[in-house]
């Protein structure tokens, strides 16, 4: 009898244990789900943070590259401005000195051959001194980048020449410079004063020049552009 009672007690305890497990099961499941959602939320948050950091990194990198490019362009512009300032700083002064050179040339040309022959040694020395002064002035200007244009016999170029009149001449190609009224000058690659010239009219046209062969690519020029 006592054995039967013991079995009943054990079965009752097992039933109560199973019931307790069944009652605890929903709580444990909910806790597990909550923990899983928490982990998932943390993973999503970390992923969003990584994406945001990568985006910010790209923006900072792009901004840095733009800053470097702007600084490089500024350096090039500054270097170009400095170079231009060195090359063309004397342009106004040189232009004024051309008037002096013109007057020296006029003084030389104003003396006729007869006057030179009759003037004796004194006049010859004076003329020679004026010529030496003119040559010295032109040499000094050339040292500062001023170059004299001598377009006699060349094709008229409106970038460097100023046509004053036309000369009928069928023996030379049309638009050929046949007379230089006043010399022109350049400084660097700029025109300081165009040459005043007379051009031929009525002759054959100039033969078209063949197009120049393309040279090697100038990488530095492409970067500046």
């Amino acid at each position: 009898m006592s054995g039967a009672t013991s079995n009943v007690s054990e079965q009752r305890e097992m039933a109560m244990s199973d019931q307790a497990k069944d009652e605890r099961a929903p709580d444990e499941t909910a806790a597990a789900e909550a923990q899983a959602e928490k982990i998932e939320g943390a993973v999503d948050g970390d992923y969003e943070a990584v994406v945001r950091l990568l985006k910010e990194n790209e923006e900072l990198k792009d901004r840095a590259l733009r800053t470097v490019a702007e600084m490089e362009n500024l350096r090039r512009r500054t270097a170009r401005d400095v170079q231009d300032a060195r090359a063309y700083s004397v342009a106004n002064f040189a232009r004024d000195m051309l008037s002096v050179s013109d007057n020296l040339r006029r003084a030389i040309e104003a003396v006729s051959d007869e006057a030179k022959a009759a003037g004796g040694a004194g006049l010859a020395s004076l003329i020679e001194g004026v010529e030496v002064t003119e040559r010295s002035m032109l040499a000094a200007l050339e040292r500062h980048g001023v170059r004299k244009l001598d377009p006699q016999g060349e094709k008229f170029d409106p970038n460097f020449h100023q046509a004053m009149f036309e000369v009928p001449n069928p023996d030379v190609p049309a638009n050929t410079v046949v007379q230089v009224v006043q010399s022109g000058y350049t400084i660097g690659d700029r025109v300081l004063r165009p040459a005043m010239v007379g051009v031929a009219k009525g002759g054959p046209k100039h033969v078209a020049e063949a197009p120049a062969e393309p040279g090697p690519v100038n990488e530095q020029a492409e970067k500046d552009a």
Side-chain angles (χ1 to χ4, degrees):
M1 184 71 179
S2 61
T5 303
S6 176
N7 289 335
V8 171
S9 297
E10 291 177 357
Q11 291 177 358
R12 184 177 301 171
E13 290 177 357
M14 292 178 60
M16 291 178 65
S17 177
D18 292 340
Q19 183 178 0
K21 289 181 179 180
D22 293 339
E23 290 177 353
R24 289 196 306 269
D27 294 339
E28 293 176 354
T29 301
E33 291 177 352
Q35 183 67 21
E37 290 178 357
K38 183 177 181 181
I39 294 173
E40 184 178 358
V43 171
D44 291 340
D46 292 341
Y47 176 77
E48 292 176 357
V50 171
V51 171
R52 184 174 64 255
L53 290 174
L54 289 174
K55 184 177 180 181
E56 291 176 356
N57 182 61
E58 288 296 326
E59 291 177 352
L60 291 174
K61 181 179 179 181
D62 182 66
R63 190 181 305 170
L65 291 175
R66 290 185 180 182
T67 301
V68 170
E70 290 175 358
M71 293 301 295
E72 180 64 17
N73 291 334
L74 178 60
R75 185 192 65 79
R76 290 175 180 170
R77 285 195 301 269
T78 302
R80 196 158 46 236
D81 291 343
V82 171
Q83 182 178 0
D84 289 347
R86 290 175 178 173
Y88 306 117
S89 60
V90 298
N92 292 333
F93 174 76
R95 192 177 293 110
D96 292 338
M97 288 299 98
L98 294 182
S99 300
V100 180
S101 177
D102 292 340
N103 289 332
L104 292 174
R105 173 48 45 185
R106 293 189 187 99
I108 295 170
E109 294 176 349
V111 182
S112 64
D113 293 337
E114 293 79 5
K116 291 178 182 178
L123 181 59
S125 297
L126 176 61
I127 294 174
E128 183 181 358
V130 175
E131 290 176 341
V132 170
T133 302
E134 181 194 30
R135 288 196 297 270
S136 298
M137 176 174 290
L138 293 177
L141 291 173
E142 189 171 354
R143 285 196 297 270
H144 291 279
V146 179
R147 185 173 61 88
K148 185 177 181 180
L149 297 176
D150 187 14
Q152 183 75 30
E154 298 179 359
K155 181 180 178 181
F156 175 77
D157 186 346
N159 296 313
F160 298 97
H161 312 147
Q162 181 177 346
M164 304 301 294
F165 52 85
E166 292 181 326
V167 179
N169 189 342
D171 297 330
V172 296
N175 289 330
T176 297
V177 176
V178 293
Q179 184 176 348
V180 179
V181 179
Q182 186 180 63
S183 299
Y185 293 85
T186 60
I187 180 169
D189 57 354
R190 299 181 184 178
V191 176
L192 188 62
R193 186 180 75 184
M196 297 183 181
V197 300
V199 297
K201 176 184 179 182
K205 294 182 179 180
H206 280 274
V207 178
E209 297 180 355
E213 293 292 333
V217 177
N218 189 331
E219 297 180 357
Q220 184 64 34
E222 290 186 349
K223 291 179 180 179
D224 293 341

